[in-house]
Amino acid sequence: MSRKYSEIRKDENECLLKISRQLDELRKLVLEAGDALNFDDELINKNYEEVLKVQHNLDKLSL
């Protein structure tokens, strides 16, 4: 009934390989999420710049 050491090591290595692949996938997803957040930041900055331009033009018209 006792499993051989080599069988246990084989199972352990398979589990570690699965965990490593899952961590790689998680790392990929985290990087994609980071890219998406950076993209959102860029859009927010562009929108803010446009708002500042409009405010500047309104200030000119008020003079």
Side-chain angles (χ1 to χ4, degrees), residues 5-44:
Y5 177 78
S6 61
E7 291 174 354
I8 294 171
R9 291 292 297 171
K10 181 182 175 194
D11 289 347
E12 184 181 61
N13 287 337
E14 288 174 3
C15 287
L16 290 173
L17 184 59
K18 287 179 185 177
I19 291 170
S20 177
R21 288 181 181 148
Q22 290 173 341
L23 287 173
D24 287 342
E25 184 64 26
L26 179 60
R27 190 175 301 113
K28 178 183 166 190
L29 294 172
V30 168
L31 289 174
E32 288 176 8
D35 289 345
L37 288 174
N38 287 337
F39 180 73
D40 285 346
D41 286 346
E42 289 174 17
L43 287 177
I44 289 168

Side-chain angles (χ1 to χ4, degrees), residues 50-63:
E50 291 300 316
V51 167
L52 289 178
K53 287 179 188 176
V54 169
Q55 285 178 342
H56 180 71
N57 289 338
L58 287 174
D59 289 344
K60 282 183 184 178
L61 291 174
S62 295
L63 294 176

